Amino acid sequence: MASFASHSEVVAEEIIPTIDFGLLLNGTPDQRSDMVQTLAKACEDWGFFMVVNHGMPDQLRDEMLEAFKTLFDLSDDEKAPYVGGHVLDPIRIGTGFNSKIDIGKCWRHYVKIFVHPEFHSVPKPLNFRDISREYSECTRAIGLELLKAIWEGLGIEEGRVREALKLDSCFQILVANLYPPYPNHDATFGFLPHSDHGLATLLYQNGVDGLQIKHKDRWVYVKPAPNSILVNTGDHLEILSNGKYKSVLHRAVLNSEVARMSVVTAIGPALDAIVEPIPDLVNEDFPAVFRGMKYRDYLEQQQSNSLAEKGALHLVRL
Ligand code: OGA
Ligand code: NI
């Protein structure tokens, strides 16, 4: 288990790479190609970056936060059908990381909803379905466009990855994390150190900081630029890239006075895609360092364990 004393390792601030999404989408060929290189470097050096000019309307983002807030505030009876359950249940409400194991270690409430390839929603609040559908479509479009630029930066042909990962049926989860104020916030985490499964995670928070990422053996406090979306690389990008892009470790700390909320979009391969290092990046000098595993099996095995500081890549490491 992580040592709580490690809060003190935090270094104040570093400049986190910024990706101008507008230039990826509508820039001149030179501008796009420069941005693809910036993105490749961000993935290689950090596994983490802020996306600006992403085109997501402020109003949609605020409505999504508000709808999740209302959902968290529903009575226990109304939430009961979604509490507990299996990692592959499409709607889950809980606390900690894995509700059965981690109670007391993470001061966190969460809602997780599968929104692609099949869209799921909750009946209440009434506007949740429309807002979450629009929000999910918007974040999926941004995420897939970023991934396209990531394949380009890796020098692999987009069509091949799309086919290997069955990205037309990409698995997308919409998550909200609520971290209530916690007086002794030096003693407990909101979210213990972990890496994310999947390819990329997009995060937007309610203006309250708390996310930290591990960079060069130090924890770095993330202070996002206003309206930016934070993105980190996931385990399956590390597997696919044969370890060239690392899945970044991150954690969330608490605030003693105000509640923090984050809305997270996880984008992964199709559940039945077997993810392994792409042959283009495997050769005599760089032999495969991971074995293939079906994404669904990885999810089940990862989530049935308590959070390990090293993430879950050991499941597939050769
Ligand atoms: C996550 C996560 C961090 C945060 O949901 O995987 O790392 O700041 N969240 O909420
Ligand atoms: Ni995470």
Side-chain angles (χ1 to χ4, degrees):
M1 206 184 93
S3 148
F4 290 145
S6 53
H7 276 71
S8 57
E9 299 163 23
V10 172
V11 296
E13 271 162 68
E14 289 207 33
I15 300 193
I16 285 163
T18 300
I19 300 303
D20 187 331
F21 190 76
L23 291 183
L24 279 182
L25 211 58
N26 302 316
T28 63
D30 280 353
Q31 285 172 323
R32 177 177 162 86
S33 140
D34 283 352
M35 202 39 73
V36 164
Q37 290 317 313
T38 307
L39 179 58
K41 197 158 165 36
C43 288
E44 193 158 354
D45 294 350
W46 285 82
F48 192 88
F49 48 90
M50 300 190 244
V51 178
V52 298
N53 291 327
H54 44 69
M56 151 112 61
D58 295 355
Q59 190 189 343
L60 175 60
R61 211 188 42 209
D62 294 345
E63 284 173 351
M64 190 72 264
L65 267 174
E66 206 47 47
F68 269 120
K69 210 156 133 227
T70 314
L71 175 54
F72 278 121
D73 283 342
L74 293 180
S75 71
D76 287 348
D77 278 353
E78 284 170 304
K79 288 187 280 193
Y82 310 114
V83 174
H86 180 261
V87 58
L88 289 174
D89 286 349
I91 306 176
R92 281 188 303 142
I93 297 183
T95 53
F97 169 68
N98 174 326
S99 308
K100 293 195 197 82
I101 301 171
D102 286 313
I103 282 176
K105 286 194 237 158
C106 295
W107 192 245
R108 161 193 184 230
H109 300 267
Y110 66 81
V111 180
K112 294 188 185 189
I113 306 177
F114 297 175
V115 289
H116 195 263
E118 244 177 88
F119 178 79
H120 297 267
S121 184
V122 287
K124 268 192 181 175
L126 289 178
N127 59 1
F128 194 91
R129 173 172 289 272
D130 285 348
I131 295 170
S132 63
R133 190 192 292 277
E134 200 182 334
Y135 186 86
S136 303
E137 282 169 6
C138 191
T139 48
R140 184 165 66 253
I142 295 171
L144 289 175
E145 199 59 45
L146 287 170
L147 285 172
K148 235 198 243 176
I150 288 176
W151 314 141
E152 199 176 321
L154 279 170
I156 47 187
E157 196 201 321
E158 190 219 338
R160 285 184 8 92
V161 205
R162 209 171 67 206
E163 201 175 306
L165 301 179
K166 306 184 186 182
L167 284 181
D168 293 338
S169 321
C170 70
F171 185 57
Q172 182 184 3
I173 318 177
L174 176 61
V175 185
N177 299 301
L178 169 67
Y179 307 100
Y182 192 86
N184 186 11
H185 59 92
D186 283 341
T188 303
F189 282 105
F191 208 140
L192 288 169
H194 66 283
S195 64
D196 295 341
H197 61 76
L199 298 164
T201 306
L202 281 63
L203 182 145
Y204 178 74
Q205 62 185 24
N206 67 336
V208 181
D209 295 336
L211 181 63
Q212 299 178 348
I213 52 168
K214 193 106 186 225
H215 178 63
K216 299 194 171 144
D217 291 327
R218 298 190 298 180
W219 287 103
V220 175
Y221 219 115
V222 178
K223 289 193 182 300
N227 301 325
S228 62
I229 296 178
L230 300 171
V231 180
N232 66 266
T233 52
D235 294 348
H236 290 78
L237 192 58
E238 178 161 347
I239 299 169
L240 186 95
S241 70
N242 200 25
K244 187 165 176 153
Y245 291 173
K246 301 278 186 278
S247 178
V248 73
L249 275 181
H250 54 287
R251 66 186 187 185
V253 296
L254 297 160
N255 189 292
S256 56
E257 269 129 47
V258 281
R260 173 164 182 264
M261 242 181 93
S262 60
V263 177
V264 171
T265 296
I267 296 184
L271 279 177
D272 66 348
I274 296 169
V275 187
E276 59 188 355
I278 191 116
D280 314 42
L281 299 177
V282 177
N283 54 46
E284 261 175 38
D285 295 334
F286 295 99
V289 290
F290 297 107
R291 69 186 171 92
M293 187 190 272
K294 204 177 259 190
Y295 185 36
R296 180 198 306 274
D297 297 341
Y298 187 96
L299 273 182
E300 283 188 312
Q301 292 187 36
Q302 181 208 17
Q303 308 252 329
S304 59
N305 287 310
S306 190
L307 272 192
E309 164 123 25
K310 298 250 178 303
L313 280 168
H314 61 273
L315 292 171
V316 290
R317 206 180 290 281
L318 287 171

